[in-house]
Amino acid sequence: MPASVSASPFLELDGIFKAFQLPDGELKVLEDITLSVGEREFLSFVGHSGCGKSTLLRIVAGLETASLGDVRIEGRTRAEWASKRPMGFVFQSPALLPWKTLMENVRLPLDILGDGASSERQKKAEEVIELVRLSGFERQFPGQLSGGMKQRTSIARSLVYRPELLLMDEPFGALDDFTRRELTDELLRIWDETACTVLFVTHSLPEAVLLSDRVVVLDTKPGRIREIVPIDLPRPRGRDMRQTDAFLAHLRRLEALIFAGEDHG
Amino acid sequence: MGDVARGWVSSRLPAFVLFASVLVLWEGIVRLAEIPAYLLPAPGRIVLRIFTDWSSLSGNVWVTVQAATAGFLLGTSLAVFLAFVFLYSKTVENAVFPWAIIIKTIPIIAIAPLLTIWLGFGIAPKIAVAAIACFFPTLVNVTRGLRALDREIVDYLQILGSTPRQMLVHARVYNALPLLFAAMKITVGMAMIGAIVAEFTGANLGIGTIIVNAGYRQDATLLFAAIFLSSAATLALYYTVLALERVALFWPESRVDH
């Protein structure tokens, strides 16, 4: 909730710049991204393709390094914080290990982290598989699951070690529209049941409005923060909210912001 | 008969029909045109020869199969071992890989006599030639399989803070398995050829010696009998690899099919 933002920021992005060196010069991707995220806040990033929102997420995850600027989490450096407990990351593709069953995929983080006894890991994995409603499919391999089920598995394995920070890079981008809506509603429910801060990159404005506490609208080339829009819809939210005036007003506001840049862009 | 069995039969049927037709046609042409057996023996005659010379032929094929199998296992193990070393040391790879290419470019036929000079007339030179013959494709494939993990899987394991060893046992090994088997399905035949070639250049036993002697005596029927039997043996080795693959590649979408 926006109220918690001012209290003590959980995550701070401080003047993040990112440029890639290309043969014919420098490609500026991100410029001066400065932002505070509250604990348990759901923050979305929207903007045109190439606005650097995925790059920003990869910088927070430590998969890319910023050219300039700092990522601090609970007052510590990113690397220091992540060494205690890794963050969760859901990619656009499920990126499951095809040679491991659904259960083994979900258990894998616990096996890698060496968390608890084997029976305990099994139990935790079962719980989170239940949370994403995949009970009964534990012994299937990813190749035997539908796209939506694979992405649920991907969410489950990111939640199984109870990360305090969950990064989602267009997690539903590769799914068909029905599955996408279904999973958005599910994510809403799942997020209510887990206590984590979410950074969510999406191309879908309705998705951003429904899920987020705040939506960060980014400019393109280089990616810069154009505006941060608070979404003050009451929680818990559900799919029925999609038709309310308040929801549609937020949607229109975001659309206006995104497409305003087109004319002088 | 179950559906699966019926499907198997109907998918293999065209191949059997064609195979049988070729044999019948061959037999017919040889008889009608009265082609002498020293030029082209009819299949019936070849099969008969296989029966009459069975103990000599089967014994010698068995010797060759043993050498080919040992060489195949040796060459494959060395290649897999080296691929693992490459994974941990780019320096070793840069130093050794050119040598692997040089070995690949050497004609097997040219090193076979050399290896016979060095290793004698027993099984050792055959194993060596068979091993060399199947070394390179396996090295290339397994090296690639261990390296070329999906980028997002690497990213994911990195976020979890996986150690290189965990990345190896949870992902890289499995990623390399389909490529290992793809290579083995090719090299198992090359191992057999390697062993036979080694027998050409000097050996006391083996189907290769039968072939050389039959060649000197212009005994086409015996040559065909030897060819038939070594083909059958190679096929048996190939299907053994295929059976192992069925067990090892247990997840869907893992088989690089032939």
Side-chain angles (χ1 to χ4, degrees):
Chain A
M1 292 283 146
S4 65
V5 177
S6 50
S8 83
F10 172 74
L11 171 79
E12 287 168 287
L13 304 178
D14 187 10
I16 304 275
F17 283 75
K18 178 70 183 177
F20 290 107
Q21 302 301 327
L22 298 179
D24 53 344
E26 202 183 53
L27 177 69
K28 287 181 184 165
V29 183
L30 291 168
E31 203 168 85
D32 196 18
I33 305 289
T34 299
L35 186 68
S36 293
V37 187
E39 191 162 359
R40 240 187 143 313
E41 186 177 4
F42 199 117
L43 190 76
S44 291
F45 294 89
V46 299
H48 290 284
S49 298
C51 70
K53 47 197 191 308
S54 292
T55 307
L56 184 61
L57 223 54
R58 292 177 64 83
I59 289 172
V60 175
L63 296 172
E64 306 263 3
T65 49
S67 308
L68 208 65
D70 260 339
V71 179
R72 298 190 74 78
I73 309 174
E74 294 185 304
R76 279 179 288 174
T77 65
R78 198 213 69 76
E80 203 188 343
W81 188 86
S83 67
K84 298 272 185 294
R85 175 123 306 233
M87 40 192 94
F89 201 113
V90 180
F91 300 87
Q92 181 172 356
S93 85
L96 300 172
L97 280 59
W99 41 83
K100 290 190 184 281
T101 62
L102 193 163
M103 170 54 86
E104 289 166 343
N105 264 291
V106 174
R107 252 189 71 144
L108 182 64
L110 300 177
D111 292 338
I112 282 178
L113 297 171
D115 263 14
S118 178
S119 61
E120 203 178 312
R121 291 177 202 168
Q122 191 76 8
K123 203 169 145 269
K124 277 188 186 169
E126 275 164 17
E127 276 168 20
V128 75
I129 288 170
E130 170 125 33
L131 181 69
V132 299
R133 300 183 203 266
L134 282 175
S135 302
F137 295 97
E138 288 88 347
R139 299 165 71 100
Q140 306 279 314
F141 287 96
Q144 299 165 315
L145 301 172
S146 71
M149 289 163 91
K150 279 189 231 178
Q151 205 51 285
R152 281 168 195 263
T153 310
S154 181
I155 294 172
R157 74 169 180 189
S158 306
L159 294 176
V160 74
Y161 50 99
R162 303 191 188 286
E164 289 173 59
L165 177 60
L166 178 60
L167 310 176
M168 304 182 92
D169 188 4
E170 290 187 54
F172 310 139
L175 302 175
D176 66 84
D177 201 44
F178 296 127
T179 314
R180 180 175 194 138
R181 279 195 179 211
E182 193 186 302
L183 279 191
T184 309
D185 295 341
E186 289 270 325
L187 182 60
L188 209 50
R189 177 184 63 81
I190 290 166
W191 182 67
D192 274 338
E193 289 181 33
T194 54
C196 64
T197 308
V198 182
L199 301 189
F200 188 84
V201 164
T202 181
H203 273 120
S204 158
L205 298 180
E207 211 168 87
V209 173
L210 189 65
L211 292 165
S212 315
D213 294 314
R214 290 187 298 161
V215 178
V216 180
V217 181
L218 290 170
D219 270 333
T220 309
K221 283 171 196 157
R224 235 177 317 204
I225 296 180
R226 175 177 295 170
E227 191 146 345
I228 302 180
V229 181
I231 309 290
D232 49 7
L233 299 170
R235 289 192 189 269
R237 301 175 187 169
R239 68 174 74 200
D240 41 345
M241 197 168 261
R242 287 174 190 265
Q243 302 307 325
T244 62
D245 290 340
F247 182 92
L248 294 170
H250 279 108
L251 195 56
R252 273 196 294 274
R253 166 112 197 267
L254 283 179
E255 261 170 27
L257 275 169
I258 295 262
F259 294 110
E262 299 249 295
D263 308 325
H264 53 81
Chain B
M1 189 156 62
D3 277 351
V4 176
R6 198 170 300 141
W8 190 86
V9 168
S10 68
S11 73
R12 295 296 193 284
L13 198 61
F16 279 120
V17 170
L18 182 64
F19 187 67
S21 314
V22 168
L23 287 183
V24 169
L25 202 67
W26 179 356
E27 184 84 37
I29 289 172
V30 168
R31 285 184 187 212
L32 288 176
E34 293 177 356
I35 300 173
Y38 64 85
L39 282 182
L40 179 65
R45 206 186 167 91
I46 297 165
V47 172
L48 198 67
R49 185 65 178 270
I50 291 174
F51 276 110
T52 54
D53 286 15
W54 176 251
S55 69
S56 146
L57 280 170
S58 64
N60 280 295
V61 165
W62 178 235
V63 167
T64 309
V65 165
Q66 283 175 306
T69 308
F72 171 72
L73 293 177
L74 181 68
T76 304
S77 314
L78 279 176
V80 170
F81 173 74
L82 209 55
F84 274 94
V85 174
F86 285 178
L87 184 65
Y88 286 105
S89 168
K90 194 75 192 168
T91 314
V92 172
E93 177 173 358
N94 290 338
V96 173
F97 202 77
W99 287 95
I101 294 175
I102 290 171
I103 289 172
K104 177 200 179 323
T105 59
I106 297 172
I108 290 283
I109 301 203
I111 32 173
L114 205 52
L115 286 165
T116 307
I117 294 174
W118 291 339
L119 301 171
F121 295 98
I123 196 172
K126 304 184 204 176
I127 294 178
V129 174
I132 290 169
C134 48
F135 176 72
F136 194 77
T138 307
L139 178 68
V140 171
N141 267 24
V142 177
T143 301
R144 191 162 66 112
L146 290 175
R147 280 256 166 73
L149 258 189
D150 246 26
R151 184 188 156 182
E152 289 187 323
I153 290 182
V154 174
D155 285 350
Y156 166 66
L157 292 171
Q158 204 178 316
I159 287 171
L160 287 176
S162 309
T163 62
R165 203 192 72 87
Q166 286 171 328
M167 229 180 248
L168 186 71
V169 299
H170 288 297
R172 294 195 188 282
V173 165
Y174 295 100
N175 200 55
L177 267 184
L179 283 153
L180 169 64
F181 276 98
M184 289 201 303
K185 282 191 277 188
I186 295 167
T187 58
V188 75
M190 292 161 90
M192 193 67 184
I193 294 172
I196 292 174
V197 165
E199 286 165 352
F200 282 2
T201 59
N204 306 322
L205 290 168
I207 200 72
T209 63
I210 303 257
I211 291 171
V212 171
N213 289 333
Y216 285 141
R217 283 187 275 119
Q218 304 216 324
D219 187 345
T221 311
L222 184 58
L223 274 173
F224 267 106
I227 290 169
F228 273 26
L229 272 187
S230 34
S231 286
T234 306
L235 213 57
L237 290 176
Y238 176 80
Y239 276 101
T240 309
V241 172
L242 219 57
L244 286 175
E245 185 190 49
R246 290 262 147 84
V247 178
L249 304 188
F250 53 86
W251 67 99
E253 302 162 337
S254 59
R255 262 171 236 155
V256 186
D257 256 318
H258 36 282

